[in-house]
Amino acid sequence: MTKPEEFQELRPLLFSIAYRILGSVSEAEDAVQETWLRYQSAAAHPGSVKAFLSTVVTRISIDVLRSARVRREEYVGPWLPEPLLTDPYEDPARSAELADSLSMAALLLLERLTPLERAVFVLRDVFAFGFSEIASAVGRSESACHQLAVRARRHMETGRPRFEADRKEREELAEKFFDAFREGDVDGLAELLAADVQMVGDSGGKAPQVKPVILGAEHVVRVLAAFVPLVIRGAGVVEPQQVNGRPGAIFRDRDGRVLSTWALDVLDGRIQSIRTVNNPDKLRHIGPRADAWAALREATQSHRPTH
């Protein structure tokens, strides 16, 4: 097998590792590309191509994350991961771990860890790497990696929210939600929300947003009722779509350009959280991006009462 063939075979795994460490599609793709360049220029052929490439992409991702954390401290409003529609890596034996680790909630918990803890947790708990492989990847002893894994797991378990395990129930509830949304059925929306629902929006200061964080069913319904129908009826399309392994949707303008992504978390038959990514910089990998400000102006003007 040639180097390009070996790399292409492992690319899905490399991207999935990098994305979970970085929470960014664009940065993960850059890390994978840099990994290829280093593999291409390596003089000797490694004994284990998987171990070599996993080590390279992990170390690159750790370095990128360290600088990214500084930038995120200056980010305008709440920071959410770049939405991922499809995880390219599949492993039937690890399907539950892979799905859980992809959710917005899990990625936000990972943000609390140090870069080393995050890398160790991803390699061990998500991808089941052995500690000798992990030690090589992060440049620490096996005993240090054991300690990092324990600390990371403790942080993750302490903050881990409970969510609906049954995928079919999640998707049925999401379908009802977006149907009510399209129809402007405010009462129908209200019935589907948990009393303590939260709606968090990441605009980065680059797209319209009512408030970055909205808490409680009454306030969330008010926002949905007053603001969202303007966009939907005026110039928008709601396209149901899995977002980070959870039910969600892509919002597009009438020309099919991307306005936003939504991801829903469900528990006990109610929607517990709605996370919207509106920052156009985080949507470029999904497709052509809309001018959200122009779409809002158009929708508002088209529904302005005439006398």
PDB file of all heavy atoms in Angstrom, residues 211-237:
ATOM      1  N   LYS A 211     -30.368  37.525  22.387  1.00  0.00           N
ATOM      2  CA  LYS A 211     -29.535  37.461  23.589  1.00  0.00           C
ATOM      3  C   LYS A 211     -28.658  36.231  23.475  1.00  0.00           C
ATOM      4  O   LYS A 211     -29.086  35.207  22.924  1.00  0.00           O
ATOM      5  CB  LYS A 211     -30.390  37.358  24.856  1.00  0.00           C
ATOM      6  CG  LYS A 211     -31.096  38.646  25.253  1.00  0.00           C
ATOM      7  CD  LYS A 211     -31.980  38.423  26.470  1.00  0.00           C
ATOM      8  CE  LYS A 211     -31.171  38.081  27.709  1.00  0.00           C
ATOM      9  NZ  LYS A 211     -32.033  37.928  28.914  1.00  0.00           N
ATOM     10  N   PRO A 212     -27.431  36.270  24.003  1.00  0.00           N
ATOM     11  CA  PRO A 212     -26.555  35.095  23.896  1.00  0.00           C
ATOM     12  C   PRO A 212     -27.101  33.870  24.620  1.00  0.00           C
ATOM     13  O   PRO A 212     -26.978  32.754  24.140  1.00  0.00           O
ATOM     14  CB  PRO A 212     -25.247  35.568  24.539  1.00  0.00           C
ATOM     15  CG  PRO A 212     -25.308  37.056  24.514  1.00  0.00           C
ATOM     16  CD  PRO A 212     -26.748  37.416  24.627  1.00  0.00           C
ATOM     17  N   VAL A 213     -27.705  34.096  25.808  1.00  0.00           N
ATOM     18  CA  VAL A 213     -28.241  32.980  26.593  1.00  0.00           C
ATOM     19  C   VAL A 213     -29.639  33.357  27.070  1.00  0.00           C
ATOM     20  O   VAL A 213     -29.851  34.427  27.648  1.00  0.00           O
ATOM     21  CB  VAL A 213     -27.344  32.677  27.819  1.00  0.00           C
ATOM     22  CG1 VAL A 213     -27.920  31.494  28.602  1.00  0.00           C
ATOM     23  CG2 VAL A 213     -25.915  32.389  27.391  1.00  0.00           C
ATOM     24  N   ILE A 214     -30.590  32.452  26.806  1.00  0.00           N
ATOM     25  CA  ILE A 214     -31.977  32.670  27.223  1.00  0.00           C
ATOM     26  C   ILE A 214     -32.394  31.483  28.077  1.00  0.00           C
ATOM     27  O   ILE A 214     -32.247  30.325  27.653  1.00  0.00           O
ATOM     28  CB  ILE A 214     -32.907  32.811  26.003  1.00  0.00           C
ATOM     29  CG1 ILE A 214     -32.427  33.966  25.115  1.00  0.00           C
ATOM     30  CG2 ILE A 214     -34.347  33.036  26.427  1.00  0.00           C
ATOM     31  CD1 ILE A 214     -32.938  33.910  23.712  1.00  0.00           C
ATOM     32  N   LEU A 215     -32.882  31.741  29.270  1.00  0.00           N
ATOM     33  CA  LEU A 215     -33.206  30.680  30.220  1.00  0.00           C
ATOM     34  C   LEU A 215     -34.699  30.629  30.500  1.00  0.00           C
ATOM     35  O   LEU A 215     -35.347  31.664  30.672  1.00  0.00           O
ATOM     36  CB  LEU A 215     -32.445  30.902  31.536  1.00  0.00           C
ATOM     37  CG  LEU A 215     -30.914  30.937  31.439  1.00  0.00           C
ATOM     38  CD1 LEU A 215     -30.308  31.286  32.789  1.00  0.00           C
ATOM     39  CD2 LEU A 215     -30.375  29.607  30.958  1.00  0.00           C
ATOM     40  N   GLY A 216     -35.239  29.415  30.571  1.00  0.00           N
ATOM     41  CA  GLY A 216     -36.630  29.218  30.950  1.00  0.00           C
ATOM     42  C   GLY A 216     -37.568  29.160  29.762  1.00  0.00           C
ATOM     43  O   GLY A 216     -37.399  29.889  28.778  1.00  0.00           O
ATOM     44  N   ALA A 217     -38.562  28.275  29.864  1.00  0.00           N
ATOM     45  CA  ALA A 217     -39.472  28.037  28.745  1.00  0.00           C
ATOM     46  C   ALA A 217     -40.209  29.296  28.313  1.00  0.00           C
ATOM     47  O   ALA A 217     -40.364  29.563  27.117  1.00  0.00           O
ATOM     48  CB  ALA A 217     -40.476  26.942  29.126  1.00  0.00           C
ATOM     49  N   GLU A 218     -40.654  30.095  29.261  1.00  0.00           N
ATOM     50  CA  GLU A 218     -41.419  31.302  28.921  1.00  0.00           C
ATOM     51  C   GLU A 218     -40.605  32.250  28.051  1.00  0.00           C
ATOM     52  O   GLU A 218     -41.104  32.789  27.048  1.00  0.00           O
ATOM     53  CB  GLU A 218     -41.859  32.016  30.213  1.00  0.00           C
ATOM     54  CG  GLU A 218     -42.671  33.269  29.962  1.00  0.00           C
ATOM     55  CD  GLU A 218     -43.064  33.982  31.251  1.00  0.00           C
ATOM     56  OE1 GLU A 218     -42.896  33.390  32.339  1.00  0.00           O
ATOM     57  OE2 GLU A 218     -43.527  35.141  31.168  1.00  0.00           O
ATOM     58  N   HIS A 219     -39.342  32.460  28.429  1.00  0.00           N
ATOM     59  CA  HIS A 219     -38.500  33.384  27.675  1.00  0.00           C
ATOM     60  C   HIS A 219     -38.097  32.808  26.317  1.00  0.00           C
ATOM     61  O   HIS A 219     -38.048  33.536  25.316  1.00  0.00           O
ATOM     62  CB  HIS A 219     -37.245  33.734  28.491  1.00  0.00           C
ATOM     63  CG  HIS A 219     -37.552  34.471  29.761  1.00  0.00           C
ATOM     64  ND1 HIS A 219     -37.404  33.893  30.993  1.00  0.00           N
ATOM     65  CD2 HIS A 219     -38.022  35.716  29.993  1.00  0.00           C
ATOM     66  CE1 HIS A 219     -37.757  34.757  31.934  1.00  0.00           C
ATOM     67  NE2 HIS A 219     -38.143  35.872  31.346  1.00  0.00           N
ATOM     68  N   VAL A 220     -37.817  31.505  26.284  1.00  0.00           N
ATOM     69  CA  VAL A 220     -37.435  30.879  25.012  1.00  0.00           C
ATOM     70  C   VAL A 220     -38.596  30.918  24.030  1.00  0.00           C
ATOM     71  O   VAL A 220     -38.426  31.243  22.851  1.00  0.00           O
ATOM     72  CB  VAL A 220     -36.944  29.432  25.241  1.00  0.00           C
ATOM     73  CG1 VAL A 220     -36.780  28.704  23.906  1.00  0.00           C
ATOM     74  CG2 VAL A 220     -35.619  29.436  26.005  1.00  0.00           C
ATOM     75  N   VAL A 221     -39.801  30.612  24.500  1.00  0.00           N
ATOM     76  CA  VAL A 221     -40.984  30.650  23.632  1.00  0.00           C
ATOM     77  C   VAL A 221     -41.203  32.059  23.097  1.00  0.00           C
ATOM     78  O   VAL A 221     -41.543  32.257  21.926  1.00  0.00           O
ATOM     79  CB  VAL A 221     -42.229  30.156  24.378  1.00  0.00           C
ATOM     80  CG1 VAL A 221     -43.497  30.475  23.590  1.00  0.00           C
ATOM     81  CG2 VAL A 221     -42.144  28.658  24.612  1.00  0.00           C
ATOM     82  N   ARG A 222     -40.990  33.051  23.932  1.00  0.00           N
ATOM     83  CA  ARG A 222     -41.183  34.434  23.504  1.00  0.00           C
ATOM     84  C   ARG A 222     -40.235  34.782  22.361  1.00  0.00           C
ATOM     85  O   ARG A 222     -40.626  35.431  21.381  1.00  0.00           O
ATOM     86  CB  ARG A 222     -40.955  35.373  24.688  1.00  0.00           C
ATOM     87  CG  ARG A 222     -41.364  36.820  24.423  1.00  0.00           C
ATOM     88  CD  ARG A 222     -41.169  37.664  25.662  1.00  0.00           C
ATOM     89  NE  ARG A 222     -41.953  37.145  26.774  1.00  0.00           N
ATOM     90  CZ  ARG A 222     -41.568  37.201  28.052  1.00  0.00           C
ATOM     91  NH1 ARG A 222     -40.377  37.718  28.358  1.00  0.00           N
ATOM     92  NH2 ARG A 222     -42.333  36.737  28.998  1.00  0.00           N
ATOM     93  N   VAL A 223     -38.991  34.318  22.464  1.00  0.00           N
ATOM     94  CA  VAL A 223     -38.019  34.578  21.394  1.00  0.00           C
ATOM     95  C   VAL A 223     -38.429  33.849  20.121  1.00  0.00           C
ATOM     96  O   VAL A 223     -38.416  34.417  19.025  1.00  0.00           O
ATOM     97  CB  VAL A 223     -36.608  34.151  21.842  1.00  0.00           C
ATOM     98  CG1 VAL A 223     -35.649  34.154  20.663  1.00  0.00           C
ATOM     99  CG2 VAL A 223     -36.093  35.082  22.925  1.00  0.00           C
ATOM    100  N   LEU A 224     -38.796  32.574  20.255  1.00  0.00           N
ATOM    101  CA  LEU A 224     -39.202  31.800  19.083  1.00  0.00           C
ATOM    102  C   LEU A 224     -40.418  32.425  18.411  1.00  0.00           C
ATOM    103  O   LEU A 224     -40.502  32.502  17.182  1.00  0.00           O
ATOM    104  CB  LEU A 224     -39.510  30.352  19.483  1.00  0.00           C
ATOM    105  CG  LEU A 224     -38.345  29.536  20.043  1.00  0.00           C
ATOM    106  CD1 LEU A 224     -38.837  28.153  20.459  1.00  0.00           C
ATOM    107  CD2 LEU A 224     -37.217  29.410  19.036  1.00  0.00           C
ATOM    108  N   ALA A 225     -41.355  32.885  19.229  1.00  0.00           N
ATOM    109  CA  ALA A 225     -42.598  33.434  18.690  1.00  0.00           C
ATOM    110  C   ALA A 225     -42.393  34.787  18.016  1.00  0.00           C
ATOM    111  O   ALA A 225     -43.005  35.075  16.982  1.00  0.00           O
ATOM    112  CB  ALA A 225     -43.632  33.577  19.810  1.00  0.00           C
ATOM    113  N   ALA A 226     -41.517  35.605  18.589  1.00  0.00           N
ATOM    114  CA  ALA A 226     -41.384  36.978  18.095  1.00  0.00           C
ATOM    115  C   ALA A 226     -40.339  37.131  16.999  1.00  0.00           C
ATOM    116  O   ALA A 226     -40.524  37.944  16.090  1.00  0.00           O
ATOM    117  CB  ALA A 226     -41.033  37.906  19.263  1.00  0.00           C
ATOM    118  N   PHE A 227     -39.275  36.366  17.100  1.00  0.00           N
ATOM    119  CA  PHE A 227     -38.150  36.615  16.189  1.00  0.00           C
ATOM    120  C   PHE A 227     -38.038  35.599  15.057  1.00  0.00           C
ATOM    121  O   PHE A 227     -37.957  35.962  13.882  1.00  0.00           O
ATOM    122  CB  PHE A 227     -36.839  36.642  16.994  1.00  0.00           C
ATOM    123  CG  PHE A 227     -35.602  36.737  16.156  1.00  0.00           C
ATOM    124  CD1 PHE A 227     -35.307  37.886  15.441  1.00  0.00           C
ATOM    125  CD2 PHE A 227     -34.728  35.671  16.074  1.00  0.00           C
ATOM    126  CE1 PHE A 227     -34.166  37.968  14.663  1.00  0.00           C
ATOM    127  CE2 PHE A 227     -33.580  35.738  15.294  1.00  0.00           C
ATOM    128  CZ  PHE A 227     -33.299  36.896  14.598  1.00  0.00           C
ATOM    129  N   VAL A 228     -38.033  34.331  15.401  1.00  0.00           N
ATOM    130  CA  VAL A 228     -37.746  33.311  14.401  1.00  0.00           C
ATOM    131  C   VAL A 228     -38.753  33.272  13.254  1.00  0.00           C
ATOM    132  O   VAL A 228     -38.348  33.131  12.096  1.00  0.00           O
ATOM    133  CB  VAL A 228     -37.609  31.928  15.069  1.00  0.00           C
ATOM    134  CG1 VAL A 228     -37.301  30.865  14.031  1.00  0.00           C
ATOM    135  CG2 VAL A 228     -36.511  31.966  16.122  1.00  0.00           C
ATOM    136  N   PRO A 229     -40.059  33.394  13.497  1.00  0.00           N
ATOM    137  CA  PRO A 229     -40.993  33.344  12.362  1.00  0.00           C
ATOM    138  C   PRO A 229     -40.718  34.403  11.299  1.00  0.00           C
ATOM    139  O   PRO A 229     -41.028  34.191  10.126  1.00  0.00           O
ATOM    140  CB  PRO A 229     -42.353  33.565  13.025  1.00  0.00           C
ATOM    141  CG  PRO A 229     -42.172  33.039  14.407  1.00  0.00           C
ATOM    142  CD  PRO A 229     -40.778  33.434  14.782  1.00  0.00           C
ATOM    143  N   LEU A 230     -40.159  35.531  11.687  1.00  0.00           N
ATOM    144  CA  LEU A 230     -39.817  36.557  10.698  1.00  0.00           C
ATOM    145  C   LEU A 230     -38.845  35.998   9.671  1.00  0.00           C
ATOM    146  O   LEU A 230     -39.005  36.181   8.466  1.00  0.00           O
ATOM    147  CB  LEU A 230     -39.178  37.774  11.383  1.00  0.00           C
ATOM    148  CG  LEU A 230     -40.101  38.676  12.204  1.00  0.00           C
ATOM    149  CD1 LEU A 230     -39.270  39.743  12.903  1.00  0.00           C
ATOM    150  CD2 LEU A 230     -41.147  39.310  11.308  1.00  0.00           C
ATOM    151  N   VAL A 231     -37.833  35.279  10.171  1.00  0.00           N
ATOM    152  CA  VAL A 231     -36.827  34.725   9.280  1.00  0.00           C
ATOM    153  C   VAL A 231     -37.408  33.590   8.450  1.00  0.00           C
ATOM    154  O   VAL A 231     -37.230  33.512   7.236  1.00  0.00           O
ATOM    155  CB  VAL A 231     -35.607  34.234  10.093  1.00  0.00           C
ATOM    156  CG1 VAL A 231     -34.556  33.639   9.179  1.00  0.00           C
ATOM    157  CG2 VAL A 231     -35.025  35.384  10.911  1.00  0.00           C
ATOM    158  N   ILE A 232     -38.153  32.714   9.111  1.00  0.00           N
ATOM    159  CA  ILE A 232     -38.665  31.533   8.427  1.00  0.00           C
ATOM    160  C   ILE A 232     -39.692  31.903   7.361  1.00  0.00           C
ATOM    161  O   ILE A 232     -39.606  31.485   6.212  1.00  0.00           O
ATOM    162  CB  ILE A 232     -39.293  30.552   9.436  1.00  0.00           C
ATOM    163  CG1 ILE A 232     -38.226  30.091  10.439  1.00  0.00           C
ATOM    164  CG2 ILE A 232     -39.901  29.353   8.717  1.00  0.00           C
ATOM    165  CD1 ILE A 232     -36.995  29.496   9.788  1.00  0.00           C
ATOM    166  N   ARG A 233     -40.674  32.712   7.705  1.00  0.00           N
ATOM    167  CA  ARG A 233     -41.723  33.061   6.742  1.00  0.00           C
ATOM    168  C   ARG A 233     -41.210  34.020   5.677  1.00  0.00           C
ATOM    169  O   ARG A 233     -41.673  34.007   4.542  1.00  0.00           O
ATOM    170  CB  ARG A 233     -42.899  33.698   7.472  1.00  0.00           C
ATOM    171  CG  ARG A 233     -43.622  32.743   8.413  1.00  0.00           C
ATOM    172  CD  ARG A 233     -44.644  33.498   9.226  1.00  0.00           C
ATOM    173  NE  ARG A 233     -45.167  32.678  10.307  1.00  0.00           N
ATOM    174  CZ  ARG A 233     -45.793  33.166  11.367  1.00  0.00           C
ATOM    175  NH1 ARG A 233     -45.934  34.480  11.498  1.00  0.00           N
ATOM    176  NH2 ARG A 233     -46.249  32.364  12.306  1.00  0.00           N
ATOM    177  N   GLY A 234     -40.248  34.842   6.068  1.00  0.00           N
ATOM    178  CA  GLY A 234     -39.790  35.840   5.124  1.00  0.00           C
ATOM    179  C   GLY A 234     -38.798  35.318   4.111  1.00  0.00           C
ATOM    180  O   GLY A 234     -38.909  35.600   2.930  1.00  0.00           O
ATOM    181  N   ALA A 235     -37.832  34.527   4.569  1.00  0.00           N
ATOM    182  CA  ALA A 235     -36.788  34.145   3.615  1.00  0.00           C
ATOM    183  C   ALA A 235     -36.076  32.858   3.987  1.00  0.00           C
ATOM    184  O   ALA A 235     -34.990  32.613   3.495  1.00  0.00           O
ATOM    185  CB  ALA A 235     -35.764  35.276   3.530  1.00  0.00           C
ATOM    186  N   GLY A 236     -36.670  32.032   4.855  1.00  0.00           N
ATOM    187  CA  GLY A 236     -35.904  30.915   5.384  1.00  0.00           C
ATOM    188  C   GLY A 236     -36.465  29.539   5.109  1.00  0.00           C
ATOM    189  O   GLY A 236     -37.638  29.365   4.812  1.00  0.00           O
ATOM    190  N   VAL A 237     -35.586  28.555   5.227  1.00  0.00           N
ATOM    191  CA  VAL A 237     -35.945  27.143   5.087  1.00  0.00           C
ATOM    192  C   VAL A 237     -35.332  26.398   6.260  1.00  0.00           C
ATOM    193  O   VAL A 237     -34.158  26.606   6.597  1.00  0.00           O
ATOM    194  CB  VAL A 237     -35.395  26.560   3.764  1.00  0.00           C
ATOM    195  CG1 VAL A 237     -35.674  25.068   3.675  1.00  0.00           C
ATOM    196  CG2 VAL A 237     -35.997  27.288   2.566  1.00  0.00           C
TER     197      VAL A 237
END
